[in-house]
Amino acid sequence: MKKFKNRMEFRPLLSLIVILVACGILSGGSFFSLQIVDGHLYGRLIDILRNGSRYMVLATGMTMVLATGGTDISVGSVMAISGALACSIVDMRILPGLGGNTLAAVVIALAVGALCGAWNGFLVAKLKVQPIVATMILMTAGRGIAQLIADGKIVTITSDSYYYINGGYILGLPFPLYIAAFMLIAALLITKKTAFGLAVEAIGVNSRSARLAGIKVDRNIWLIYIFCGVCAAIAGLIESAGIKGADCNNCGLMIEMDGILAVAIGGTSLSGGRFSLIASIIGALVVQTITTMILAFGVAPEVIRVFKALIVIVICLAQSPAFIAKMKEAFGRKKVVAQS
Amino acid sequence: MKTKTPLKTRVKISNISLLIAGTMLVVMYLAGASVYDRFGQVSTVLNLFNDNAYLIVVAVGMTFVLLTGGIDISVASTLAFTGVFSAFLLEKGLPAVVVIPLVLVIGTLVGYAQGYAIHTFQIAPFLVTLAGQFLMRGMCAVISTVSIPINDPFFKAAALGKFSWKLSTGGTAKLYYYVFVALAVLLIAWYVLRFTRFGRAVYAVGSSEQSAQYMGLNVKRVKIGVYAINGFCAALGGVLFSFYTLAGYSLQNMGLELDAISSAVIGGTLLTGGVGTVIGSMVGVLIQGIIQTIVTYQNLNTWWTKVTVAAILCFFILIQRVIAIRAERKKA
């Protein structure tokens, strides 16, 4: 058994606890208060879990992509597409033959999410376009496609079964949490119980040597981008069910940055290699907790970005060997001076 | 080790790509002119420059960064910050002669700091500039979350000052003075990249940082320098944009960095570094502008602009890949 302190999950968990405790103290304990109304749990912590679930789903897919040394900046646009598509189907604006069936809408949205991922994967794996540029195409086009699907309008829907995706409860806990847990467990099973996880890490460390070792690099990268596309589509469903409609301009706007941030907080190196899905999930919770905290204390939501910037800077510096070496050097010199 | 295509073929990639982009621009313009009467008038061409002057400046700065193989996704936030901060200062009663140099210096310093972190601490440019993006956008919100109007006389004069002349076909053609700022930036950047030691070093670092280091070039100066230049251009773009809108708003131009990057790519800049021209980036900006004009004339959903730009971007990336693969095969 590895010591827990040395595990990747340790540092993000520690920062989550620190932030939560800080919230608890600053709010005088009301941050942690939970109420049971109609058998459902309510409270800030539950809010964090519910609103954080789309970050968790996104972070699951993003972790795998980043672990191969790639990036996917199109997830926000894919969210907009999936939300617009599902809402339009439920509202019977398109494909009225389905009769507004929620299940059919969800399945189609997920399939289109997979298609978007396959497109990204095709550009990255087959045409060898740099991941940022390759996914930038869909990022630019995707929001436009979503607008065209929704005919440039904000689609509002009335469907209790669709609302359930975000607002439902099972055993007192919000339904999206179960979706996030399902995706996490599925991803964990695939990466831990099969050789796939090892292959992902190998590709991230050095894709050339991975290929020489007999790993089907192209096919694996392709699969990972498809998985990330599906994750983004799910996040889009959760978000659109939350606002009870599809707002193509704002659904998942700049969320790709939050997804990458969550993974970075989790400690997965953004240049590929060692990764931890659970650490990324904790990272997603950290991002959401900071957001909830700032909203709870009545600060303008736009200011959150300043905090996020500070977090990114700290993480970057902590991950940079050059910075650590410089600090050590500076620290060492001081010591010498003190001794003389 | 990454295999690098030899210099001769790399220059070719840029030339062919730029040639296609230039042809595309002309064809699109002629196609537009053949369908719409007013499209063929000189005012349409001038409006392309009037409406996209700020984007040209930003794209020029971005080209410097892309040429070294880096990327900067913070420019849109820097641009918005410049607008909000100068509107804020002007509202407080500071004169424009103080405000404009001040915001330009701030933009340059932000770029310098990012370049410093990227080079000295060896952090991925994407991450550093992501932090910069969050920070500048957040700072906008700290100053004001609502749009601040600009009533300063100098800004107003700069916003409205223009050459205009009556056309024989009716209507007036206008060219705003601030367009010349953008064109001046373009010319200076072209000169710097082509004829100065710094400019050639930018290409050298982009082709191979290691070789540039061995040749004794000051890689640190180049890498930090391009980010500082980019920060300056973003801030200048912000000033031009506030001439254009006469207001500062914190959520202005979300996603502009991608417009700038795609302009450069359409104009033949390779994102791996070492290949590209600022003239190409201007052509890229104009292509996007012309698409927007056609979409407006056709009375289509404005989102068609984005979809079309993405399709064209995709097309140019594919061309670059095909040429690169061919060059590699020839070598082998």
Side-chain angles (χ1 to χ4, degrees):
Chain A
M1 261 313 262
K2 263 197 283 183
K3 271 192 184 162
F4 184 68
K5 208 183 149 189
N6 293 334
R7 289 180 65 97
M8 278 180 82
E9 290 82 7
F10 177 72
R11 272 201 227 171
L13 193 61
L14 195 67
S15 36
L16 179 63
I17 292 170
V18 168
I19 293 170
L20 279 175
V21 169
C23 289
I25 293 170
L26 286 172
S27 66
S30 67
F31 203 85
F32 294 128
S33 71
L34 290 175
Q35 292 157 324
I36 298 176
V37 182
D38 298 336
H40 304 328
L41 278 169
Y42 283 97
R44 290 236 189 271
L45 289 179
I46 301 298
D47 281 349
I48 290 173
L49 288 176
R50 185 211 303 280
N51 296 331
S53 51
R54 60 200 169 102
Y55 286 132
M56 290 192 241
V57 175
L58 275 183
T60 310
M62 193 66 94
T63 307
M64 310 272 277
V65 170
L66 290 170
T68 64
T71 319
D72 188 347
I73 56 170
S74 72
V75 287
S77 296
V78 176
M79 280 176 70
I81 293 179
S82 106
L85 197 59
C87 288
S88 302
I89 292 174
V90 170
D91 200 39
M92 291 198 273
R93 285 161 188 262
I94 54 174
L95 299 177
L98 293 168
N101 187 319
T102 304
L103 189 64
V106 168
V107 170
I108 291 174
L110 294 188
V112 170
L115 197 66
C116 292
W119 163 253
N120 286 333
F122 171 71
L123 290 178
V124 175
K126 287 289 159 191
L127 298 179
K128 314 274 184 236
V129 182
Q130 292 145 285
I132 292 185
V133 188
T135 51
M136 194 172 83
I137 296 175
L138 191 57
M139 185 199 191
T140 315
R143 223 163 266 289
I145 295 170
Q147 285 279 351
L148 298 176
I149 293 171
D151 199 21
K153 297 183 182 74
I154 294 178
V155 183
T156 49
I157 51 166
T158 44
S159 160
D160 285 335
S161 54
Y162 194 76
Y163 296 167
Y164 191 83
I165 297 173
N166 184 65
Y169 282 90
I170 297 176
L171 298 176
L173 287 173
F175 182 64
L177 193 59
Y178 289 90
I179 303 178
F182 174 78
M183 292 307 288
L184 173 65
I185 290 167
L188 275 177
L189 281 179
I190 296 169
T191 52
K192 298 280 178 195
K193 295 290 168 195
T194 71
F196 190 69
L198 202 61
V200 169
E201 253 179 58
I203 294 168
V205 172
N206 187 334
S207 70
R208 204 176 143 88
S209 55
R211 183 161 51 240
L212 293 176
I215 295 173
K216 288 190 174 116
V217 174
D218 292 358
R219 199 190 62 182
N220 284 336
I221 290 183
W222 207 332
L223 283 176
I224 283 168
Y225 276 94
I226 293 176
F227 179 71
C228 190
V230 173
C231 286
I234 294 174
L237 291 177
I238 296 175
E239 175 146 344
S240 62
I243 64 166
K244 303 184 176 179
D247 179 359
C248 305
N249 279 327
N250 296 314
C251 175
L253 190 65
M254 304 311 264
I255 205 168
E256 45 277 341
M257 304 305 168
D258 287 330
I260 295 171
L261 177 61
V263 179
I265 294 174
T268 298
S269 163
L270 297 169
S271 48
R274 203 161 74 110
F275 68 99
S276 161
L277 289 163
I278 296 176
S280 298
I281 297 286
I282 300 172
L285 284 173
V286 170
V287 173
Q288 182 60 44
T289 309
I290 295 169
T291 312
T292 308
M293 170 177 94
I294 288 169
L295 290 177
F297 294 136
V299 183
E302 292 87 349
V303 181
I304 295 171
R305 292 206 180 87
V306 177
F307 289 86
K308 283 180 183 165
L310 296 178
I311 296 170
V312 176
I313 291 168
V314 170
I315 295 169
C316 286
L317 291 180
Q319 280 188 358
S320 154
F323 178 75
I324 294 168
K326 271 225 162 100
M327 286 296 107
K328 272 188 185 153
E329 199 179 287
F331 189 64
R333 248 186 231 148
K334 256 183 218 159
K335 250 189 180 170
V336 173
V337 172
Q339 277 168 357
S340 65
Chain B
M1 277 301 292
K2 263 192 192 165
T3 50
K4 290 276 180 183
T5 43
L7 195 68
K8 210 177 162 192
T9 48
R10 306 188 113 227
V11 173
K12 256 191 204 159
I13 295 173
S14 168
N15 286 352
I16 294 176
S17 213
L18 182 53
L19 194 69
I20 297 174
T23 319
M24 189 176 254
L25 182 65
V26 174
V27 168
M28 279 172 134
Y29 180 72
L30 292 180
S34 67
V35 179
Y36 308 104
D37 294 339
R38 289 191 53 199
F39 207 94
Q41 287 177 3
V42 68
S43 58
T44 309
V45 180
L46 294 183
N47 278 341
L48 272 183
F49 285 95
N50 289 337
D51 296 341
N52 294 304
Y54 70 98
L55 187 55
I56 291 176
V57 175
V58 176
V60 164
M62 185 64 85
T63 312
F64 274 86
V65 170
L66 295 178
L67 281 176
T68 63
I71 198 161
D72 188 341
I73 54 169
S74 72
V75 285
S77 304
T78 310
L79 189 147
F81 177 78
T82 307
V84 172
F85 193 55
S86 38
F88 172 76
L89 290 180
L90 292 169
E91 201 185 34
K92 288 270 173 281
L94 260 73
V97 265
V98 179
V99 171
I100 294 178
L102 182 67
V103 288
L104 291 182
V105 168
I106 292 176
T108 316
L109 284 180
V110 169
Y112 181 87
Q114 295 186 124
Y116 184 82
I118 289 165
H119 182 78
T120 317
F121 302 138
Q122 300 287 323
I123 313 174
F126 182 74
L127 266 183
V128 173
T129 52
L130 174 68
Q133 184 194 54
F134 281 149
L135 187 66
M136 298 316 280
R137 198 62 86 171
M139 291 308 289
C140 290
V142 171
I143 294 173
S144 166
T145 49
V146 292
S147 178
I148 310 175
I150 296 176
N151 291 315
D152 183 76
F154 177 79
F155 269 72
K156 277 201 162 160
L160 301 173
K162 61 187 177 244
F163 295 114
S164 72
W165 50 94
K166 288 254 185 275
L167 295 172
S168 54
T169 49
T172 44
K174 286 169 281 188
L175 189 63
Y176 289 89
Y177 292 150
Y178 60 73
V179 173
F180 293 103
V181 177
L183 293 180
V185 168
L186 184 76
L187 273 181
I188 294 169
W190 177 78
Y191 178 81
V192 166
L193 279 177
R194 207 169 167 84
F195 296 114
T196 66
R197 206 180 288 178
F198 177 80
R200 300 322 291 174
V202 167
Y203 282 98
V205 170
S207 298
S208 168
E209 198 176 322
Q210 210 170 10
S211 313
Q213 187 99 52
Y214 289 156
M215 275 163 66
L217 293 173
N218 192 341
V219 174
K220 182 176 175 179
R221 208 187 95 189
V222 170
K223 279 183 81 179
I224 299 180
V226 291
Y227 284 97
I229 289 173
N230 192 25
F232 173 83
C233 285
L236 185 61
V239 172
L240 294 191
F241 192 76
S242 43
F243 289 159
Y244 186 65
T245 57
L246 281 180
Y249 178 46
S250 65
L251 294 179
Q252 222 148 42
N253 283 306
M254 294 281 257
L256 179 91
E257 56 272 341
L258 297 172
D259 292 341
I261 295 171
S262 50
S263 299
V265 172
I266 290 173
T269 302
L270 279 194
L271 286 142
T272 41
V275 178
T277 55
V278 284
I279 305 290
S281 301
M282 187 195 70
V283 172
V285 170
L286 293 181
I287 286 185
Q288 296 197 31
I290 236 171
I291 292 171
Q292 194 151 21
T293 315
I294 293 178
V295 165
T296 316
Y297 269 67
Q298 281 278 16
N299 210 5
L300 287 170
N301 186 331
T302 49
W303 282 94
W304 276 109
T305 317
K306 291 272 173 199
V307 177
T308 322
V309 169
I312 289 177
L313 181 62
C314 189
F315 173 71
F316 277 96
I317 288 173
L318 291 187
I319 288 181
Q320 290 187 357
R321 280 306 307 166
V322 168
I323 297 170
I325 289 170
R326 275 211 180 153
E328 274 165 31
R329 275 207 194 128
K330 241 183 216 170
K331 211 172 63 170

